[in-house]
Amino acid sequence: MVPVESTADTAAGPPADAELHRRLVYGDESALGEAYAAYGALVRRVARRVTRSPAAAEDVAQEVFAQLWSRPYAFDARRGSLRTWLSVLAHRRAVDWVRSEARHRKDARADDDALHAIPDAGPGPDETVVDRERSLLLHTALAGLPPSQREVIHLAYFAGRTYRQAAIELGIPEGTAKTRLRSALRRLADSLADPPLERGA
């Protein structure tokens, strides 16, 4: 576990990298504490500049020092300072966070666009009969979805949940919730894209 942070880099200067690395390799928890006290603020600053999010910067810092603790061999004191290595690692993790968030936002927009592409089931003033048929088609299409997909659709578009919140409520991984949502939207769009011809035409 990462120790309580220091508010700034230690005034006495950073510990000797080679010795600190040796202690980390041997599982000395106090060495991790010294590294965090010496470089924690630096790592958070680097992460915050990239993510522009204090909360994300804290998460990145935790990941960086978790990696230092679990994989101390990844750092080689002969190739550079621990300060530089941690800064580079923080930057990479922060960039990964930004890319992940961008993907989440893109996926959310794509899901919204897919739902908007489904014909509106609400009746209009001049098309009461047609719209009633569309409403029936929509309910029929929803009823035809597998229960797992119908649950996600209900939470995401009728209960106002994000797919992440839906995943938590259903007790399933986020990726599973996203896949079910996309599959359900595709099935609904396919079912409603070409309504059957009117009877008796």
Side-chain angles (χ1 to χ4, degrees), residues 155-187:
L155 289 173
Y157 292 104
F158 296 99
R161 307 291 196 275
T162 66
Y163 77 85
R164 292 178 179 177
Q165 292 170 334
I168 293 173
E169 291 193 27
L170 296 174
I172 59 178
E174 289 183 7
T176 301
K178 187 189 302 183
T179 298
R180 290 180 184 178
L181 184 60
R182 287 179 174 175
S183 298
L185 289 172
R186 282 196 295 267
R187 291 185 63 161

Side-chain angles (χ1 to χ4, degrees), residues 78-159:
R78 296 170 298 181
R79 296 185 177 181
S81 68
L82 182 59
R83 177 188 182 91
T84 299
W85 186 80
L86 290 172
S87 296
V88 171
L89 183 57
H91 185 270
R92 288 176 181 170
R93 289 299 182 96
V95 169
D96 288 343
W97 182 91
V98 170
R99 289 174 176 169
S100 176
E101 286 300 300
R103 284 195 298 270
H104 286 317
R105 288 193 294 271
K106 181 179 179 181
D107 290 343
R109 286 195 299 270
D111 290 341
D112 287 342
D113 290 343
L115 182 66
H116 293 156
I118 297 173
D120 187 0
D126 300 323
E127 299 179 326
T128 304
V129 175
V130 174
D131 286 339
R132 283 179 180 172
E133 184 176 352
R134 287 178 178 173
S135 179
L136 178 61
L137 287 172
L138 175 59
H139 287 294
T140 301
L142 286 170
L145 292 175
S148 60
Q149 293 181 5
R150 193 163 57 243
E151 287 176 337
V152 177
I153 283 287
H154 174 77
L155 289 173
Y157 292 104
F158 296 99

